[in-house]
Amino acid sequence: MLLYKNMEMSSAPSAPQASQIPDLVKIGSVATDTAINVQTDILDPVIFSEREARFVLDNKGILHSNSRITFSTAGDAGATTGLGRAFFPANIGVHSLIQRAALRVGTKTISEIEDFNFFSAYETTFLPPDAIKEREQVMSGRFMSIAPSLSNRGFAFQNASASGKITESLTEAKSIQIDNGKDAISTAAAGAFWETIPKATAPDNGRVIWDYQDEANKPTFSILLADLFPFLKMNQLPLYMMSEQVSIHLTFTPQKAANDSQRLVSTNGINLTNECTLVRSDCQMIADYIYYPQDMMEQYRQANSQMTFSYVDYQFVKRTVSATQYSGGLIQNLGGAGRIVNKVFVGTQVGTADQQGLLNNYIAEGPAISTTTVGTVTTNLKYNDNFLYPIDVSNNARHFHNLFSAEGRVPYISRDLYRGEGQLAVDNAAVKGALEFEDYPAKEVLRQMFFYTAYRLNKGERVNSRGIELYDTRTTMSGSGTMRAYLQVVKVATLQDGIFTSIFA
C-alpha cells in the first residue's frame, strides 16, 4: 500500500511554474517549438458617425498588435477647376482622419493620445524612406519619402522645331523632392500631364500621386493598432484572460468647409468642392487573434493569475504662443508632476495651409527664414529644480542630435526639412530643373516643416510637484503658432483574475 501511495503521488501533475512557460504576451520570439493559429475577424463599429467610431473586441485569444483599422472616403471631395486631385497629406496619410484615439478596458482608459494626427506627423519622421515608398504609401497613404532629384532638366527650347524632352543626369543632384516611385512629368500637375508638351515649351517638371491615392477613386487605407496605441508596441492583449469589455474609441477630425479641410490636401491652386465623407461599410477592424495550444494557454493563465507589466503613454499640452512671447523667452509648465517622464518632444505649427499644401497643418516650424539667416532657437528643460542641459542649446545640429538621442532612432529628414539649411529644398527659380510635387515646390511646402525639439530625461527620477518647465526662445517666428508638447510617462498595468487596472508608475 505504501508503494502504491508513493506511485500515486509521483504521478500527480505539478503546478505550472511561470519560468517554464513562454511569455505569450510580450512581442518577440517564443523560445519553444509550438503550433500557432491565427484567426482573423472583420469587426464593424458598434457606433459610427462623421465624428466618432467605436469597436468592441471579442474576449478570445491574444490580440495581435499588427491588427488594423481600415478607412475609406466616398470620393466626393472633387476639384472645382482643372484636372487636379485630392489626397491625404504626404506625411501622415489616412492618420489625418484621427483626432483622438483611446483604448479602454471596461470603463478604464488604458492608453489615449490627443491630437493623434499631429503625433503621427512626428512619428513619420523616423520611418525609413524605403518603408514609406514600398509599403506605407499603399497601406496608410503616407508618401513622405525624400530623395535627390537626379535630373537636370533643360530649358533650352527656343527652337520651334524642337520637341520638349527630358535630359537626365545620373551623377549630379542639385535639389530634393518627394519620391513616390513615379516618373517625372513635363507639364503642370493640374493639367493633362500625360500628353506630349508642345514644341518650344519649357517643361514644367514635377511628380504626381498614384491613381489609387486620388480621393476621387475612393481609396481604402489602414492604420496599425500599434501606431494608435504605444502600449501595443511592446505588449499584446491576452483577451482570453480578461473578463471586461475591451473597446477602441476613435474621434475623427471634424469636417470643415472644403477649402479649410484638415483631412485632405489637393493639387496646388485647385480648390475642393466638398469635405470628404467617410464610408461606414469600409470602416472596419481587421482583428487578428493568436491561439497557441490549449494546454499551453491554460497553463499560462494559471501561472499568471496576477500579471503586471509597465508601458508608456503620452500626456499632452497645447497652447497658442505669439512671436513676441517666443522672442522674449517662453517659459511653459508642461505638467508631469508626480510622474516618471522618459522624454518630451515639442513642435510649433505656425502656418495654416489647410488643404493648400502637401502636409496640411501637420507641421512643426522654426523661426522665419530670410536670405541671410534661419533665425535662432535656444531651448532647455527644467525639472526637479535642475536644468537638463548645463548650457542652453542653440546649435541646430545639437537640436537634431538631441532629437535622435531622445528617440534612439534616426530622423529621416534633411537639414532643409529640419531647419531650412542646405539649400536643397528649392524651387525652379533657384535651381533650374528642380522638381515639384503636385505643382508644389519643395521650398514652399517642405522646407523647415519638421523642426521638432526633443528631450530625454535619463535619470529615471519622479518629477516633483513643480512639474517640468520648458524654456524656449525663438527669434524670430513669422507669427503666432500653436505649440504642442507630448510627455512620455510610465504606467503600470495589472491583470488579476480577469480585471485590468492601470496606474501611473
Side-chain angles (χ1 to χ4, degrees):
M1 288 294 297
L2 181 61
L3 177 61
Y4 177 80
K5 185 176 181 180
N6 286 339
M7 290 177 61
E8 184 179 39
M9 292 177 61
S10 63
S11 62
S14 59
Q17 302 296 319
S19 59
Q20 300 174 343
I21 305 172
D23 194 339
L24 307 182
V25 174
K26 291 291 183 183
I27 293 180
S29 58
V30 178
T32 183
D33 295 329
T34 184
I36 300 176
N37 182 38
V38 178
Q39 176 183 329
T40 300
D41 288 356
I42 307 298
L43 306 178
D44 290 320
V46 296
I47 296 176
F48 179 86
S49 69
E50 282 294 327
R51 198 65 185 96
E52 64 178 351
R54 181 181 299 165
F55 295 89
V56 175
L57 303 175
D58 295 329
N59 290 62
K60 61 181 184 181
I62 299 173
L63 179 65
H64 199 295
S65 295
N66 284 346
S67 300
R68 289 180 174 268
I69 299 179
T70 63
F71 302 92
S72 179
T73 59
D76 55 350
T80 56
T81 58
L83 299 172
R85 288 154 295 283
F87 47 95
F88 290 109
N91 56 336
I92 62 175
V94 77
H95 295 71
S96 66
L97 296 176
I98 311 299
Q99 185 183 58
R100 182 193 302 118
L103 175 65
R104 294 171 182 162
V105 178
T107 59
K108 302 174 288 289
T109 299
I110 304 304
S111 179
E112 183 175 25
I113 297 182
E114 293 277 352
D115 274 13
F116 172 79
N117 32 28
F118 288 89
F119 176 87
S120 178
Y122 173 78
E123 287 291 320
T124 300
T125 62
F126 300 96
L127 284 178
D130 58 335
I132 293 178
K133 185 176 178 180
E134 298 173 5
R135 181 187 68 205
E136 288 303 318
Q137 68 173 337
V138 177
M139 301 297 292
S140 65
R142 292 181 283 191
F143 53 90
M144 190 62 203
S145 173
I146 300 296
S149 298
L150 291 175
S151 54
N152 196 8
R153 303 177 191 283
F155 271 66
F157 288 83
Q158 310 304 324
N159 189 343
S161 64
S163 298
K165 60 182 180 180
I166 294 176
T167 303
E168 296 199 353
S169 169
L170 300 178
T171 60
E172 186 177 20
K174 297 181 180 179
S175 61
I176 58 176
Q177 184 52 274
I178 291 177
D179 179 15
N180 64 344
K182 291 204 72 172
D183 290 335
I185 60 175
S186 299
T187 59
F193 61 83
W194 53 86
E195 296 181 357
T196 304
I197 63 174
K199 294 181 179 180
T201 300
D204 187 1
N205 312 298
R207 287 194 181 96
V208 297
I209 61 170
W210 294 94
D211 287 343
Y212 66 81
Q213 295 170 327
D214 190 346
E215 196 272 341
N217 293 327
K218 305 177 184 180
T220 299
F221 294 117
S222 62
I223 302 177
L224 283 173
L225 290 190
D227 289 341
L228 286 169
F229 308 110
F231 166 82
L232 296 175
K233 288 185 181 293
M234 298 300 297
N235 303 282
Q236 298 178 131
L237 282 177
L239 296 177
Y240 79 102
M241 298 172 59
M242 303 169 69
S243 58
E244 298 172 289
Q245 183 184 85
V246 180
S247 61
I248 294 173
H249 191 102
L250 303 178
T251 302
F252 296 129
T253 303
Q255 283 187 310
K256 294 191 174 184
N259 293 329
D260 295 327
S261 174
Q262 294 184 6
R263 296 181 173 186
L264 298 175
V265 294
S266 62
T267 305
N268 193 7
I270 301 299
N271 295 323
L272 301 180
T273 305
N274 305 295
E275 173 70 287
C276 66
T277 303
L278 296 174
V279 178
R280 189 192 193 285
S281 59
D282 290 334
C283 182
Q284 297 177 314
M285 180 175 175
I286 304 173
D288 291 333
Y289 300 97
I290 302 175
Y291 291 89
Y292 295 92
Q294 184 175 357
D295 57 342
M296 178 183 292
M297 295 181 71
E298 187 58 34
Q299 288 177 5
Y300 186 80
R301 187 208 299 265
Q302 295 176 16
N304 295 275
S305 59
Q306 179 173 343
M307 184 187 307
T308 301
F309 46 88
S310 63
Y311 65 100
V312 296
D313 202 7
Y314 287 88
Q315 291 186 349
F316 177 61
V317 178
K318 174 180 176 181
R319 65 160 291 185
T320 300
V321 184
S322 68
T324 303
Q325 288 174 308
Y326 263 133
S327 298
L330 173 69
I331 302 178
Q332 174 66 42
N333 192 296
L334 303 179
R339 315 297 186 210
I340 298 177
V341 181
N342 290 334
K343 69 180 179 184
V344 177
F345 67 87
V346 181
T348 300
Q349 167 216 340
V350 177
T352 53
D354 295 330
Q355 56 98 17
Q356 277 296 300
L358 290 177
L359 311 179
N360 204 292
N361 294 336
Y362 308 110
I363 55 179
E365 300 173 78
I369 299 173
S370 68
T371 56
T372 57
T373 180
V374 295
T376 304
V377 178
T378 303
T379 68
N380 210 333
L381 212 65
K382 186 177 183 180
Y383 71 105
N384 292 350
D385 302 321
N386 292 306
F387 283 100
L388 179 62
Y389 307 118
I391 301 175
D392 294 345
V393 178
S394 58
N395 183 280
N396 291 326
R398 181 69 187 279
H399 287 314
F400 189 88
H401 169 78
N402 291 339
L403 179 63
F404 161 73
S405 178
E407 289 290 338
R409 300 177 289 171
V410 176
Y412 291 93
I413 47 179
S414 68
R415 297 171 59 201
D416 299 65
L417 275 58
Y418 188 67
R419 275 294 282 122
E421 301 175 342
Q423 298 298 314
L424 288 176
V426 294
D427 54 19
N428 271 323
V431 175
K432 298 300 181 183
L435 290 177
E436 296 178 347
F437 196 95
E438 288 289 344
D439 284 349
Y440 290 104
K443 180 180 180 180
E444 178 183 332
V445 295
L446 298 180
R447 190 180 186 192
Q448 198 193 216
M449 295 298 179
F450 300 85
F451 179 60
Y452 296 97
T453 54
Y455 313 86
R456 180 166 62 96
L457 285 63
N458 55 4
K459 296 181 181 179
E461 297 177 344
R462 189 177 303 277
V463 179
N464 62 19
S465 59
R466 188 172 177 176
I468 298 174
E469 293 178 334
L470 171 68
Y471 288 71
D472 198 332
T473 303
R474 304 188 181 198
T475 54
T476 304
M477 301 293 283
S478 60
S480 297
T482 302
M483 184 205 75
R484 292 176 174 86
Y486 294 83
L487 285 68
Q488 188 187 81
V489 297
V490 179
K491 284 187 172 182
V492 176
T494 302
L495 178 60
Q496 183 175 6
D497 298 329
I499 304 300
F500 200 99
T501 58
S502 175
I503 60 173
F504 288 100

